[in-house]
Amino acid sequence: MHESRPAGPPAAAPAQPSPPGPASPTAGPPLPRSVRIGYGLGSLATGTFGTVPGLILLYYLTDVLAVPAALAGAAVFLPKAWDVLINPLVGAAADRSRLQGGSRRPFLLAGALTLPPLFALLFAAPPLRGIGAAGYVAVLFLLAATAYAVFQVPYVTLPAEMTEDPAERGRVLAWRVGFLGVAILLSGALAPAIAHADGDTPGSYRTMGVVVAILLAAGMLGAWRAVRRAPTVARSEAEPSLRAQLAVARDNPVFTALAGMWTVQALAVGVMLAGVQYFATYVVGSPEAVTPLFACMIGPLVLMMPLWNRLARARGTVFAQWCASLLFTGAAALVFLTRYTSPVVGYVAVALVGVAYAGLQLLPLTMLADTLAADTARTGRRRAATFTGLWTAAETLALALGSGVFAAVLALTGFRSSEASEEVAQPAAALTGINAGMSLLPALLSLAGCALLAVYASRSAAASAPAPGAPPSTPSDPSAPPAPTPNATARKGTRRVR
Protein backbone atom coordinates (compact mmCIF):
# COMPACT_ATOMS: atom_id res chain seq x y z
CA MET A 1 0.00 0.00 0.00
CA HIS A 2 1.53 3.27 -1.13
CA GLU A 3 0.83 6.79 -0.05
CA SER A 4 -2.43 8.24 -1.41
CA ARG A 5 -1.92 9.95 -4.73
CA PRO A 6 -4.01 10.63 -7.84
CA ALA A 7 -4.04 7.81 -10.34
CA GLY A 8 -4.26 10.29 -13.20
CA PRO A 9 -4.49 14.06 -13.76
CA PRO A 10 -7.36 15.82 -11.98
CA ALA A 11 -10.46 16.34 -14.05
CA ALA A 12 -10.28 20.09 -13.60
CA ALA A 13 -6.84 20.24 -15.18
CA PRO A 14 -6.53 17.43 -17.71
CA ALA A 15 -3.48 18.95 -19.35
CA GLN A 16 -1.33 18.60 -16.24
CA PRO A 17 0.95 15.56 -16.03
CA SER A 18 0.02 12.94 -13.51
CA PRO A 19 2.03 12.94 -10.29
CA PRO A 20 4.96 10.59 -10.25
CA GLY A 21 4.59 7.04 -8.98
CA PRO A 22 6.00 5.88 -5.67
CA ALA A 23 9.45 5.21 -7.05
CA SER A 24 9.93 8.63 -8.59
CA PRO A 25 10.20 10.78 -5.46
CA THR A 26 12.38 8.22 -3.77
CA ALA A 27 14.85 7.85 -6.60
CA GLY A 28 17.77 10.20 -6.25
CA PRO A 29 21.38 10.46 -7.29
CA PRO A 30 23.37 7.32 -6.56
CA LEU A 31 25.50 7.25 -3.46
CA PRO A 32 29.24 7.65 -3.98
CA ARG A 33 30.94 4.32 -4.49
CA SER A 34 33.23 5.09 -1.56
CA VAL A 35 30.17 5.36 0.70
CA ARG A 36 28.81 2.00 -0.43
CA ILE A 37 32.14 0.24 0.00
CA GLY A 38 32.99 2.07 3.22
CA TYR A 39 29.63 1.27 4.71
CA GLY A 40 30.18 -2.38 3.87
CA LEU A 41 33.44 -2.31 5.83
CA GLY A 42 31.39 -2.15 9.00
CA SER A 43 30.39 -5.75 8.37
CA LEU A 44 33.98 -6.74 9.05
CA ALA A 45 33.12 -5.89 12.65
CA THR A 46 29.54 -7.19 12.82
CA GLY A 47 30.49 -10.46 11.13
CA THR A 48 33.57 -10.93 13.29
CA PHE A 49 31.92 -10.20 16.63
CA GLY A 50 28.93 -12.29 15.67
CA THR A 51 31.17 -15.24 14.77
CA VAL A 52 34.23 -15.50 17.01
CA PRO A 53 32.62 -15.55 20.48
CA GLY A 54 29.96 -17.97 19.29
CA LEU A 55 32.61 -20.18 17.77
CA ILE A 56 35.24 -20.44 20.53
CA LEU A 57 34.18 -18.63 23.71
CA LEU A 58 32.34 -21.61 25.21
CA TYR A 59 35.23 -23.94 24.35
CA TYR A 60 37.70 -21.39 25.79
CA LEU A 61 35.82 -21.52 29.08
CA THR A 62 35.38 -25.29 29.35
CA ASP A 63 38.67 -26.54 27.86
CA VAL A 64 41.12 -23.75 28.75
CA LEU A 65 39.78 -22.10 31.92
CA ALA A 66 38.21 -25.26 33.43
CA VAL A 67 34.76 -23.72 33.86
CA PRO A 68 31.97 -26.32 34.27
CA ALA A 69 29.75 -26.54 31.20
CA ALA A 70 26.56 -25.21 32.81
CA LEU A 71 28.36 -22.22 34.35
CA ALA A 72 30.19 -21.57 31.08
CA GLY A 73 26.88 -21.51 29.22
CA ALA A 74 25.50 -18.92 31.64
CA ALA A 75 28.64 -16.78 31.31
CA VAL A 76 28.20 -16.71 27.52
CA PHE A 77 24.43 -16.36 27.38
CA LEU A 78 23.53 -13.84 30.10
CA PRO A 79 25.70 -10.94 28.84
CA LYS A 80 24.24 -11.33 25.35
CA ALA A 81 20.72 -11.50 26.76
CA TRP A 82 21.39 -7.92 27.83
CA ASP A 83 21.09 -7.05 24.12
CA VAL A 84 17.34 -7.56 24.34
CA LEU A 85 17.22 -4.44 26.51
CA ILE A 86 20.14 -2.38 25.21
CA ASN A 87 19.62 -2.70 21.44
CA PRO A 88 16.16 -1.08 21.29
CA LEU A 89 17.30 1.63 23.72
CA VAL A 90 20.33 2.43 21.58
CA GLY A 91 18.06 2.66 18.54
CA ALA A 92 15.76 5.11 20.30
CA ALA A 93 18.68 7.19 21.59
CA ALA A 94 20.18 7.42 18.10
CA ASP A 95 16.79 8.44 16.68
CA ARG A 96 16.51 11.32 19.14
CA SER A 97 20.15 12.36 18.87
CA ARG A 98 21.08 15.67 17.28
CA LEU A 99 24.81 15.38 17.94
CA GLN A 100 27.27 17.06 15.64
CA GLY A 101 28.21 14.76 12.76
CA GLY A 102 24.74 13.28 12.36
CA SER A 103 22.61 11.15 14.60
CA ARG A 104 24.41 7.89 13.73
CA ARG A 105 28.13 8.63 13.26
CA PRO A 106 28.90 9.57 16.90
CA PHE A 107 27.46 6.22 17.97
CA LEU A 108 29.56 4.42 15.36
CA LEU A 109 32.68 6.13 16.69
CA ALA A 110 31.85 5.36 20.32
CA GLY A 111 31.46 1.68 19.50
CA ALA A 112 34.62 1.65 17.40
CA LEU A 113 36.72 3.08 20.24
CA THR A 114 35.42 0.75 22.95
CA LEU A 115 34.69 -2.68 21.45
CA PRO A 116 38.20 -3.61 20.19
CA PRO A 117 40.00 -3.15 23.55
CA LEU A 118 37.18 -4.89 25.41
CA PHE A 119 37.40 -7.83 23.02
CA ALA A 120 41.16 -8.13 23.58
CA LEU A 121 40.60 -8.12 27.35
CA LEU A 122 37.88 -10.77 27.01
CA PHE A 123 40.50 -13.30 25.87
CA ALA A 124 43.30 -11.99 28.08
CA ALA A 125 43.15 -15.28 30.06
CA PRO A 126 43.84 -14.01 33.59
CA PRO A 127 45.24 -16.45 36.17
CA LEU A 128 41.73 -17.50 37.20
CA ARG A 129 39.95 -20.83 36.85
CA GLY A 130 36.45 -22.10 37.45
CA ILE A 131 33.99 -19.63 38.99
CA GLY A 132 36.49 -16.74 39.02
CA ALA A 133 37.23 -17.16 35.32
CA ALA A 134 33.52 -17.37 34.51
CA GLY A 135 32.87 -14.10 36.36
CA TYR A 136 35.72 -12.31 34.60
CA VAL A 137 34.56 -13.44 31.16
CA ALA A 138 30.91 -12.61 31.90
CA VAL A 139 31.71 -9.02 32.94
CA LEU A 140 33.97 -8.36 29.95
CA PHE A 141 31.50 -9.96 27.57
CA LEU A 142 28.70 -7.79 28.97
CA LEU A 143 30.74 -4.63 28.38
CA ALA A 144 31.74 -5.79 24.90
CA ALA A 145 28.12 -6.60 24.00
CA THR A 146 27.09 -3.10 25.08
CA ALA A 147 29.82 -1.49 22.96
CA TYR A 148 28.80 -3.65 20.02
CA ALA A 149 25.15 -2.56 20.35
CA VAL A 150 26.19 1.10 20.32
CA PHE A 151 27.81 0.50 16.92
CA GLN A 152 25.55 -2.11 15.36
CA VAL A 153 22.07 -0.65 15.80
CA PRO A 154 22.81 2.70 14.12
CA TYR A 155 24.89 0.87 11.52
CA VAL A 156 22.02 -1.38 10.47
CA THR A 157 19.67 1.62 10.28
CA LEU A 158 21.84 3.70 7.94
CA PRO A 159 20.79 2.23 4.54
CA ALA A 160 17.17 3.23 5.12
CA GLU A 161 18.27 6.81 5.86
CA MET A 162 20.98 7.27 3.23
CA THR A 163 18.65 6.62 0.30
CA GLU A 164 14.99 5.97 -0.40
CA ASP A 165 15.73 4.38 -3.76
CA PRO A 166 15.18 0.59 -3.35
CA ALA A 167 17.70 -0.23 -6.09
CA GLU A 168 20.38 1.95 -4.51
CA ARG A 169 19.61 0.50 -1.08
CA GLY A 170 20.02 -2.95 -2.58
CA ARG A 171 23.49 -2.02 -3.85
CA VAL A 172 24.45 -0.76 -0.41
CA LEU A 173 23.22 -3.98 1.21
CA ALA A 174 25.09 -6.04 -1.37
CA TRP A 175 28.39 -4.54 -0.18
CA ARG A 176 27.36 -5.12 3.42
CA VAL A 177 26.52 -8.77 2.82
CA GLY A 178 29.69 -9.27 0.77
CA PHE A 179 31.93 -7.92 3.52
CA LEU A 180 29.91 -9.93 6.03
CA GLY A 181 30.83 -13.12 4.21
CA VAL A 182 34.49 -12.12 4.08
CA ALA A 183 34.47 -11.27 7.81
CA ILE A 184 32.83 -14.53 8.85
CA LEU A 185 35.21 -16.59 6.72
CA LEU A 186 38.33 -14.66 7.73
CA SER A 187 37.64 -14.39 11.44
CA GLY A 188 36.13 -17.87 11.73
CA ALA A 189 39.19 -19.48 10.14
CA LEU A 190 41.84 -17.15 11.59
CA ALA A 191 40.74 -17.01 15.23
CA PRO A 192 40.75 -20.80 15.89
CA ALA A 193 44.01 -21.22 13.96
CA ILE A 194 45.75 -18.67 16.19
CA ALA A 195 44.11 -20.00 19.36
CA HIS A 196 45.28 -23.56 18.62
CA ALA A 197 48.73 -22.59 17.34
CA ASP A 198 50.47 -23.40 20.62
CA GLY A 199 48.14 -26.16 21.77
CA ASP A 200 45.27 -24.15 23.26
CA THR A 201 47.47 -22.24 25.71
CA PRO A 202 46.22 -19.06 27.42
CA GLY A 203 48.95 -17.14 25.58
CA SER A 204 47.64 -18.19 22.16
CA TYR A 205 44.16 -16.96 23.10
CA ARG A 206 45.63 -13.61 24.16
CA THR A 207 47.29 -13.27 20.77
CA MET A 208 44.06 -14.19 19.02
CA GLY A 209 42.16 -11.55 21.01
CA VAL A 210 44.56 -8.80 19.94
CA VAL A 211 44.52 -9.82 16.26
CA VAL A 212 40.71 -9.94 16.15
CA ALA A 213 40.52 -6.60 17.98
CA ILE A 214 42.59 -5.01 15.18
CA LEU A 215 40.18 -6.44 12.60
CA LEU A 216 37.22 -5.04 14.53
CA ALA A 217 38.80 -1.59 14.73
CA ALA A 218 39.60 -1.53 11.00
CA GLY A 219 36.02 -2.30 10.00
CA MET A 220 34.32 0.00 12.50
CA LEU A 221 36.55 3.01 11.95
CA GLY A 222 36.41 2.49 8.19
CA ALA A 223 32.61 2.61 8.22
CA TRP A 224 32.55 5.63 10.52
CA ARG A 225 34.87 7.55 8.21
CA ALA A 226 33.12 6.56 4.98
CA VAL A 227 29.55 7.49 5.89
CA ARG A 228 30.52 11.10 6.59
CA ARG A 229 29.81 11.68 2.88
CA ALA A 230 26.44 9.96 2.98
CA PRO A 231 23.31 12.10 2.78
CA THR A 232 20.44 11.80 5.23
CA VAL A 233 17.28 11.71 3.15
CA ALA A 234 14.98 10.33 5.84
CA ARG A 235 14.91 10.01 9.60
CA SER A 236 13.33 7.37 11.75
CA GLU A 237 10.96 8.24 14.55
CA ALA A 238 11.91 7.09 18.02
CA GLU A 239 9.44 5.30 20.25
CA PRO A 240 9.43 6.64 23.82
CA SER A 241 10.06 3.33 25.61
CA LEU A 242 10.91 -0.33 25.13
CA ARG A 243 7.29 -1.20 25.84
CA ALA A 244 6.21 1.10 23.02
CA GLN A 245 8.73 -0.48 20.66
CA LEU A 246 7.39 -3.95 21.45
CA ALA A 247 3.89 -2.63 20.87
CA VAL A 248 4.98 -1.38 17.44
CA ALA A 249 6.25 -4.87 16.63
CA ARG A 250 2.99 -6.46 17.79
CA ASP A 251 1.12 -4.04 15.56
CA ASN A 252 2.94 -5.48 12.53
CA PRO A 253 2.17 -9.22 12.34
CA VAL A 254 4.27 -9.61 9.19
CA PHE A 255 7.34 -8.34 11.03
CA THR A 256 6.70 -10.52 14.09
CA ALA A 257 6.50 -13.66 11.94
CA LEU A 258 9.63 -12.70 10.01
CA ALA A 259 11.54 -11.82 13.18
CA GLY A 260 10.43 -15.10 14.75
CA MET A 261 11.74 -17.05 11.76
CA TRP A 262 15.03 -15.10 11.85
CA THR A 263 15.41 -15.75 15.59
CA VAL A 264 14.89 -19.51 15.36
CA GLN A 265 17.16 -19.67 12.33
CA ALA A 266 19.87 -17.73 14.20
CA LEU A 267 19.45 -20.09 17.16
CA ALA A 268 20.09 -23.10 14.90
CA VAL A 269 23.22 -21.42 13.51
CA GLY A 270 24.31 -20.45 17.03
CA VAL A 271 24.06 -24.05 18.23
CA MET A 272 26.18 -25.22 15.29
CA LEU A 273 28.78 -22.50 15.83
CA ALA A 274 29.07 -23.38 19.50
CA GLY A 275 29.38 -27.06 18.67
CA VAL A 276 31.83 -27.03 15.77
CA GLN A 277 34.95 -26.79 17.97
CA TYR A 278 33.77 -29.69 20.15
CA PHE A 279 32.76 -31.63 17.03
CA ALA A 280 36.27 -31.16 15.57
CA THR A 281 38.00 -32.15 18.80
CA TYR A 282 35.88 -35.06 19.98
CA VAL A 283 34.15 -36.44 16.84
CA VAL A 284 36.58 -35.72 14.00
CA GLY A 285 39.47 -36.23 16.43
CA SER A 286 41.55 -33.06 16.00
CA PRO A 287 41.09 -29.57 17.48
CA GLU A 288 42.79 -28.14 14.38
CA ALA A 289 40.00 -29.62 12.22
CA VAL A 290 37.80 -26.70 13.24
CA THR A 291 39.51 -24.47 10.66
CA PRO A 292 38.75 -26.64 7.58
CA LEU A 293 35.28 -27.43 8.96
CA PHE A 294 34.54 -23.75 9.38
CA ALA A 295 35.98 -23.02 5.93
CA CYS A 296 33.62 -25.65 4.49
CA MET A 297 30.70 -24.01 6.26
CA ILE A 298 31.48 -20.38 5.45
CA GLY A 299 33.48 -20.76 2.24
CA PRO A 300 30.33 -21.01 0.05
CA LEU A 301 28.94 -17.82 1.62
CA VAL A 302 30.38 -15.30 -0.83
CA LEU A 303 30.27 -17.66 -3.81
CA MET A 304 26.64 -18.72 -3.38
CA MET A 305 25.02 -15.40 -2.44
CA PRO A 306 24.73 -14.23 -6.07
CA LEU A 307 23.02 -17.50 -6.95
CA TRP A 308 20.55 -17.17 -4.08
CA ASN A 309 19.90 -13.59 -5.17
CA ARG A 310 19.29 -14.76 -8.73
CA LEU A 311 16.88 -17.46 -7.53
CA ALA A 312 15.02 -14.88 -5.41
CA ARG A 313 14.60 -12.61 -8.42
CA ALA A 314 13.43 -15.45 -10.63
CA ARG A 315 11.09 -17.29 -8.25
CA GLY A 316 10.53 -14.88 -5.37
CA THR A 317 12.31 -14.33 -2.06
CA VAL A 318 9.98 -16.59 -0.08
CA PHE A 319 10.55 -19.49 -2.48
CA ALA A 320 14.31 -19.03 -2.23
CA GLN A 321 14.07 -18.91 1.56
CA TRP A 322 12.16 -22.20 1.54
CA CYS A 323 14.92 -23.79 -0.53
CA ALA A 324 17.65 -22.49 1.78
CA SER A 325 15.80 -23.56 4.94
CA LEU A 326 15.10 -27.09 3.73
CA LEU A 327 18.65 -27.53 2.48
CA PHE A 328 20.00 -26.40 5.86
CA THR A 329 17.69 -28.86 7.64
CA GLY A 330 18.76 -31.84 5.55
CA ALA A 331 22.46 -30.98 5.60
CA ALA A 332 22.49 -30.46 9.37
CA ALA A 333 20.86 -33.85 9.90
CA LEU A 334 23.46 -35.43 7.61
CA VAL A 335 26.25 -34.22 9.90
CA PHE A 336 25.03 -36.77 12.49
CA LEU A 337 26.35 -39.64 10.37
CA THR A 338 29.95 -38.45 10.67
CA ARG A 339 30.64 -40.34 13.89
CA TYR A 340 29.41 -43.59 12.36
CA THR A 341 30.94 -43.26 8.89
CA SER A 342 33.89 -41.04 7.99
CA PRO A 343 35.05 -37.44 8.57
CA VAL A 344 34.57 -36.93 4.83
CA VAL A 345 30.81 -37.16 5.37
CA GLY A 346 31.08 -34.41 7.96
CA TYR A 347 33.03 -32.11 5.65
CA VAL A 348 30.56 -32.63 2.78
CA ALA A 349 27.54 -32.10 5.03
CA VAL A 350 29.02 -28.97 6.57
CA ALA A 351 29.75 -27.62 3.07
CA LEU A 352 26.07 -28.11 2.18
CA VAL A 353 25.17 -26.28 5.39
CA GLY A 354 27.37 -23.45 4.11
CA VAL A 355 25.52 -23.30 0.79
CA ALA A 356 22.24 -22.97 2.68
CA TYR A 357 23.73 -20.50 5.17
CA ALA A 358 24.51 -18.08 2.32
CA GLY A 359 20.80 -17.87 1.54
CA LEU A 360 19.82 -17.70 5.20
CA GLN A 361 22.01 -14.62 5.63
CA LEU A 362 20.88 -12.78 2.50
CA LEU A 363 17.20 -13.53 2.00
CA PRO A 364 15.78 -12.49 5.41
CA LEU A 365 17.48 -9.09 5.04
CA THR A 366 15.69 -8.64 1.72
CA MET A 367 12.37 -9.56 3.31
CA LEU A 368 13.08 -7.20 6.20
CA ALA A 369 13.70 -4.28 3.82
CA ASP A 370 10.40 -5.04 2.07
CA THR A 371 8.58 -5.25 5.40
CA LEU A 372 9.98 -1.91 6.60
CA ALA A 373 9.01 -0.23 3.32
CA ALA A 374 5.49 -1.64 3.61
CA ASP A 375 5.20 -0.43 7.20
CA THR A 376 6.18 3.10 6.17
CA ALA A 377 3.64 3.06 3.34
CA ARG A 378 0.93 1.72 5.65
CA THR A 379 1.48 4.03 8.63
CA GLY A 380 3.22 7.06 7.11
CA ARG A 381 5.89 6.79 9.83
CA ARG A 382 9.56 5.92 9.52
CA ARG A 383 10.26 3.34 12.21
CA ALA A 384 13.26 1.55 10.74
CA ALA A 385 15.43 2.03 13.82
CA THR A 386 12.75 0.56 16.09
CA PHE A 387 12.36 -2.56 13.96
CA THR A 388 16.07 -3.03 13.30
CA GLY A 389 16.85 -2.58 17.00
CA LEU A 390 14.45 -5.39 17.84
CA TRP A 391 15.74 -7.44 14.89
CA THR A 392 19.39 -7.22 15.91
CA ALA A 393 18.50 -7.84 19.55
CA ALA A 394 16.69 -11.02 18.57
CA GLU A 395 19.62 -12.18 16.43
CA THR A 396 22.30 -11.59 19.04
CA LEU A 397 20.16 -13.16 21.77
CA ALA A 398 19.54 -16.23 19.61
CA LEU A 399 23.23 -16.65 18.76
CA ALA A 400 24.12 -16.38 22.45
CA LEU A 401 21.32 -18.74 23.40
CA GLY A 402 22.80 -21.19 20.91
CA SER A 403 25.93 -21.36 23.05
CA GLY A 404 23.78 -21.74 26.16
CA VAL A 405 21.74 -24.53 24.61
CA PHE A 406 24.85 -26.42 23.51
CA ALA A 407 26.36 -25.94 26.98
CA ALA A 408 23.18 -27.44 28.44
CA VAL A 409 23.63 -30.46 26.16
CA LEU A 410 27.20 -30.83 27.42
CA ALA A 411 26.13 -30.57 31.06
CA LEU A 412 23.26 -33.04 30.67
CA THR A 413 25.46 -35.63 28.96
CA GLY A 414 28.27 -35.44 31.53
CA PHE A 415 30.94 -33.45 29.67
CA ARG A 416 34.12 -32.98 31.74
CA SER A 417 35.77 -29.55 31.71
CA SER A 418 39.53 -29.16 32.01
CA GLU A 419 42.48 -26.79 31.73
CA ALA A 420 44.45 -26.47 28.51
CA SER A 421 47.29 -28.61 29.86
CA GLU A 422 45.01 -31.52 30.81
CA GLU A 423 43.68 -34.36 28.68
CA VAL A 424 40.36 -35.69 29.93
CA ALA A 425 38.55 -38.73 28.54
CA GLN A 426 34.92 -37.91 27.82
CA PRO A 427 32.11 -40.39 28.55
CA ALA A 428 30.27 -41.96 25.63
CA ALA A 429 27.11 -40.00 26.49
CA ALA A 430 29.00 -36.71 26.12
CA LEU A 431 30.34 -37.76 22.72
CA THR A 432 26.82 -38.64 21.58
CA GLY A 433 25.56 -35.31 22.92
CA ILE A 434 28.23 -33.39 21.01
CA ASN A 435 27.37 -35.22 17.80
CA ALA A 436 23.61 -34.77 18.13
CA GLY A 437 23.92 -31.19 19.37
CA MET A 438 25.91 -30.29 16.27
CA SER A 439 23.46 -31.94 13.86
CA LEU A 440 20.01 -33.12 14.89
CA LEU A 441 19.24 -30.22 17.23
CA PRO A 442 19.94 -27.52 14.59
CA ALA A 443 17.91 -29.54 12.08
CA LEU A 444 14.89 -29.55 14.42
CA LEU A 445 15.24 -25.82 15.04
CA SER A 446 15.39 -25.21 11.30
CA LEU A 447 12.11 -27.08 10.88
CA ALA A 448 10.55 -24.75 13.45
CA GLY A 449 11.87 -21.84 11.39
CA CYS A 450 10.12 -23.31 8.33
CA ALA A 451 6.81 -23.22 10.20
CA LEU A 452 7.32 -19.52 10.97
CA LEU A 453 8.27 -18.90 7.34
CA ALA A 454 4.89 -20.30 6.34
CA VAL A 455 3.21 -17.88 8.76
CA TYR A 456 5.22 -14.97 7.33
CA ALA A 457 4.32 -15.92 3.76
CA SER A 458 0.59 -16.08 4.52
CA ARG A 459 0.57 -12.83 6.50
CA SER A 460 2.62 -11.01 3.88
CA ALA A 461 0.29 -12.15 1.11
CA ALA A 462 -2.76 -11.11 3.14
CA ALA A 463 -1.28 -7.69 3.91
CA SER A 464 -0.50 -6.95 0.26
CA ALA A 465 -3.83 -8.22 -1.09
CA PRO A 466 -6.57 -5.63 -1.74
CA ALA A 467 -9.64 -5.78 0.45
CA PRO A 468 -12.16 -8.26 -1.02
CA GLY A 469 -14.84 -6.51 -3.07
CA ALA A 470 -13.41 -3.06 -2.50
CA PRO A 471 -13.28 -0.92 -5.67
CA PRO A 472 -10.06 0.93 -6.44
CA SER A 473 -11.69 4.13 -5.33
CA THR A 474 -15.15 5.37 -4.32
CA PRO A 475 -16.53 8.88 -3.96
CA SER A 476 -17.55 8.14 -0.39
CA ASP A 477 -14.02 7.29 0.64
CA PRO A 478 -12.08 10.55 1.07
CA SER A 479 -8.78 8.73 1.58
CA ALA A 480 -8.98 6.89 -1.73
CA PRO A 481 -7.36 8.34 -4.85
CA PRO A 482 -9.76 9.89 -7.35
CA ALA A 483 -10.86 7.81 -10.28
CA PRO A 484 -8.77 8.24 -13.41
CA THR A 485 -10.11 10.40 -16.20
CA PRO A 486 -10.90 8.83 -19.56
CA ASN A 487 -7.71 10.31 -20.95
CA ALA A 488 -5.68 8.64 -18.23
CA THR A 489 -7.47 5.37 -18.86
CA ALA A 490 -6.73 5.61 -22.54
CA ARG A 491 -3.07 6.27 -21.87
CA LYS A 492 -2.90 3.24 -19.57
CA GLY A 493 -4.57 1.12 -22.22
CA THR A 494 -2.07 2.26 -24.81
CA ARG A 495 0.82 1.25 -22.54
CA ARG A 496 -0.70 -2.20 -22.12
CA VAL A 497 -1.00 -2.72 -25.85
CA ARG A 498 2.63 -1.84 -26.41
Side-chain angles (χ1 to χ4, degrees), residues 95-122:
D95 285 348
R96 292 191 292 264
S97 170
R98 296 297 183 269
L99 295 173
Q100 185 177 3
S103 65
R104 310 299 176 193
R105 289 188 71 234
F107 286 82
L108 300 184
L109 181 60
L113 295 178
T114 53
L115 178 58
L118 287 169
F119 187 91
L121 290 172
L122 176 63

Side-chain angles (χ1 to χ4, degrees), residues 211-457:
V211 171
V212 173
I214 293 172
L215 181 61
L216 291 170
M220 298 168 87
L221 291 173
W224 166 77
R225 179 175 174 80
V227 299
R228 75 191 189 282
R229 298 182 57 198
T232 301
V233 299
R235 280 192 59 93
S236 298
E237 299 174 4
E239 299 298 329
S241 66
L242 177 59
R243 178 178 296 180
Q245 293 179 53
L246 294 173
V248 167
R250 288 194 298 270
D251 182 54
N252 191 324
V254 177
F255 173 80
T256 55
L258 180 61
M261 181 206 74
W262 174 254
T263 302
V264 175
Q265 171 186 299
L267 177 57
V269 172
V271 170
M272 291 198 81
L273 281 177
V276 67
Q277 179 66 78
Y278 295 90
F279 183 79
T281 302
Y282 297 104
V283 177
V284 177
S286 170
E288 291 76 15
V290 68
T291 296
L293 278 170
F294 194 81
C296 286
M297 181 177 179
I298 305 302
L301 193 65
V302 177
L303 297 176
M304 297 303 300
M305 275 187 180
L307 298 181
W308 285 115
N309 193 31
R310 188 176 302 174
L311 178 63
R313 290 178 179 178
R315 299 293 303 273
T317 308
V318 172
F319 176 84
Q321 177 69 30
W322 272 113
C323 294
S325 299
L326 293 174
L327 178 59
F328 181 93
T329 302
L334 184 61
V335 173
F336 183 76
L337 299 179
T338 305
R339 188 181 175 204
Y340 308 101
T341 54
S342 165
V344 175
V345 174
Y347 286 112
V348 172
V350 169
L352 291 175
V353 167
V355 173
Y357 184 58
L360 298 183
Q361 282 291 304
L362 173 67
L363 300 169
L365 292 177
T366 303
M367 292 187 282
L368 175 64
D370 294 341
T371 301
L372 296 183
D375 180 79
T376 299
R378 178 176 66 89
T379 65
R381 301 179 63 191
R382 302 187 182 277
R383 305 186 289 189
T386 295
F387 287 115
T388 54
L390 294 171
W391 178 272
T392 54
E395 179 190 16
T396 51
L397 176 63
L399 289 173
L401 184 58
S403 296
V405 168
F406 197 86
V409 172
L410 296 178
L412 290 172
T413 55
F415 181 85
R416 297 169 181 169
S417 299
S418 64
E419 293 190 41
S421 58
E422 296 180 88
E423 288 189 12
V424 177
Q426 299 295 341
L431 298 178
T432 300
I434 290 170
N435 196 35
M438 174 70 180
S439 56
L440 300 182
L441 181 55
L444 291 174
L445 290 169
S446 182
L447 284 177
C450 289
L452 290 168
L453 174 60
V455 175
Y456 163 81

